Amino acid sequence: MAEEQAASADEIIHPTFPSGRVKRMMKLDKDINKINSEALFLVSCSLDLFLESLAKRSAQIAIDKKRKTVNLEHLRIAVKRHQPTSEFLLDSLLMPSKNSPTGAGVTEPSSSRSDEKALPFGTRRIDQFFNKGS
């Protein structure tokens, strides 16, 4: 038991994403006024784990389809297969182009489409967050 604690004390965890960017994403929620460092650290570590899991799922789908490169379609399939993820992330992924023979082309989602779900008031798409003009 003491050996496990000593081993874990030697391991320092550093999230890979910049804490400033994670903090900005957290502050998009109007209910959040202040973010303490422990909460920021936990969310950053959770983000690392989430994206690692999503990348592994997408890579496995690419392997199953005998592809060497993970593309958007593999990511969409991985998101669809994981129900908790699909509820919030699927709407943010770009739709594959219909005129592309492989379906690997990407088109911008149009806000005029009637089959898209309307976003709840006060929310915006995650891809809009990363645009400089937003």
Side-chain angles (χ1 to χ4, degrees):
M1 177 92 170
E3 293 174 10
E4 290 177 14
Q5 289 176 349
S8 66
D10 292 338
E11 295 177 22
I12 298 175
I13 300 171
H14 296 285
T16 53
F17 292 96
S19 57
R21 179 153 303 173
V22 174
K23 192 172 186 176
R24 271 193 300 158
M25 284 191 292
M26 291 172 69
K27 284 193 169 192
L28 287 175
D29 187 347
K30 304 285 188 230
D31 296 333
I32 296 176
N33 295 326
K34 292 184 179 182
I35 301 167
N36 69 20
S37 60
E38 291 87 6
L40 181 60
F41 177 76
L42 288 174
V43 169
S44 296
C45 289
S46 298
L47 178 61
D48 283 344
L49 292 172
F50 170 71
L51 288 178
E52 180 181 341
S53 169
L54 189 59
K56 284 181 181 178
R57 289 173 191 267
S58 300
Q60 186 59 48
I61 290 168
I63 290 169
D64 293 345
K65 291 187 175 265
K66 297 178 177 48
R67 302 285 185 218
K68 293 182 180 180
T69 306
V70 175
N71 63 28
L72 180 62
E73 185 59 28
H74 301 140
L75 181 64
R76 288 186 65 79
I77 293 169
V79 170
K80 281 181 183 178
R81 287 184 183 170
H82 189 249
Q83 190 59 37
T85 305
S86 69
E87 296 207 4
F88 77 94
L89 189 57
L90 199 56
D91 292 337
S92 296
L93 293 174
L94 299 174
M95 298 299 293
S97 126
K98 291 181 178 120
N99 58 4
S100 171
T102 62
V106 176
T107 59
E108 286 291 324
S110 64
S111 58
S112 63
R113 287 182 48 189
S114 61
D115 60 340
E116 274 188 32
K117 287 193 270 183
L119 294 174
F121 178 75
T123 61
R124 58 184 183 164
R125 295 171 46 94
I126 195 164
D127 56 339
Q128 292 172 344
F129 174 78
F130 290 105
N131 290 339
K132 296 279 184 186
S134 299

